[in-house]
Amino acid sequence: MRAVVVGSSSDTAQQIADQLAANGAQVVGINKDPYDRPSLTASVTADMSDPEQAVDAFSQAARILGGIDGVVTGLAFQRGGKLHQTSAERWRAVRTGTLDATFFTLQAAIPHLRQSSSVVAISSVNATVAHPGNSAYATAKGGVTTMMRQAALEYAPRGIRFNVVAPAFIERDENLPDDVAAGYPMGRIVTAAEVAAATCFLLSPAASGITGVVLPVDAGLSIASPSAFLREGMRTRWLEND
């Protein structure tokens, strides 16, 4: 496989590049700031919210790889705040860094894709499950999810697949609060490696019949009723009694 990972410096993108390379893929990373990693065949620097830079970045990647079979994009710009607290500047920054950048990534990538190519976007459970103080980010990720489903329909006749991986909170190398997994049915949060594994599956021939899906990788968060965790009696009865 010849793959392009956009936003290649994030923890999850690093894991995706590593897992792809471990399975024999050539991987070009595209990142806003210069970034390199042993698993990357090459690295291209581009601001994907600029359509001209996005087109140039994919042209470079295609030349380096001799073609493109898979694309992963996990672009995001996250700033919190309730709706009335979100300034126009913050709203536009989140939209530009998340939704617009993904749109221009897809526009730049599609001309290089052929039958059996695959595109995976890393979205978020927040695209469908509301989270307080996250209005701009959740809206942008919701747009990414809808965009990918639209692309899946439009390019299915060409044999190009578009799917979404939707993580919840991802474990990182930092101090986390003791209750970080509260509300997660599996009693833990997921790792970047687990998100990467799901992404690599959707890129692979094993998923050749799958397009337009949103695959949660969230330790069960999106299937749980909040009452199972917020009401002490329900939480105790469910978690402690068989």
Side-chain angles (χ1 to χ4, degrees):
M1 173 177 283
R2 299 162 297 179
V4 177
V5 177
V6 182
S8 54
S9 65
S10 74
D11 293 343
T12 300
Q14 292 174 28
Q15 288 289 330
I16 292 168
D18 290 351
Q19 291 187 25
L20 286 170
N23 286 302
Q26 292 179 285
V27 186
V28 168
I30 299 177
N31 204 60
K32 188 174 183 178
D33 300 311
Y35 177 80
D36 202 4
R37 189 172 180 83
S39 55
L40 296 177
T41 302
S43 185
V44 175
T45 303
D47 180 352
M48 301 304 281
S49 66
D50 180 327
E52 293 184 0
Q53 290 191 46
V55 168
D56 183 63
F58 268 92
S59 295
Q60 290 185 58
R63 285 196 299 270
I64 292 166
L65 295 171
I68 298 172
D69 306 306
V71 176
V72 179
T73 176
L75 295 167
F77 185 82
Q78 186 168 7
R79 288 293 183 273
K82 295 180 180 179
L83 279 169
H84 76 282
Q85 297 170 329
T86 302
S87 66
E89 180 182 13
R90 178 179 292 183
W91 168 263
R92 292 189 183 106
V94 174
R95 184 200 66 196
T96 298
T98 306
L99 184 58
D100 292 356
T102 302
F103 177 76
F104 295 130
T105 292
L106 296 186
Q107 276 200 327
I110 287 168
H112 298 282
L113 302 179
R114 58 182 179 79
Q115 188 167 355
S116 79
S117 295
S118 177
V119 180
V120 179
I122 310 299
S123 181
S124 170
V125 293
N126 291 144
T128 53
V129 178
H131 181 81
N134 222 11
S135 57
Y137 176 77
T139 302
K141 283 298 192 180
V144 168
T145 298
T146 299
M147 187 191 311
M148 289 292 289
R149 295 185 67 191
Q150 186 71 24
L153 177 65
E154 293 179 354
Y155 296 98
R158 287 177 50 181
I160 305 172
R161 299 184 296 110
F162 293 80
N163 292 295
V164 174
V165 170
F169 198 89
I170 301 173
E171 183 178 319
R172 295 175 174 86
D173 293 330
E174 59 189 40
N175 293 324
L176 299 174
D178 293 338
D179 62 351
V180 65
Y184 286 71
M186 291 179 68
R188 65 174 182 86
I189 57 177
V190 298
T191 67
E194 289 173 319
V195 177
T199 302
C200 291
F201 164 70
L202 289 173
L203 285 174
S204 74
S208 60
I210 301 174
T211 194
V213 306
V214 179
L215 176 60
V217 184
D218 62 0
L221 181 67
S222 59
I223 62 172
S225 166
S227 65
F229 297 93
L230 297 180
R231 291 164 54 193
E232 184 177 354
M234 285 288 293
R235 183 170 62 247
T236 301
R237 184 170 64 191
W238 181 53
L239 293 178
E240 295 182 3
N241 297 323
D242 291 333

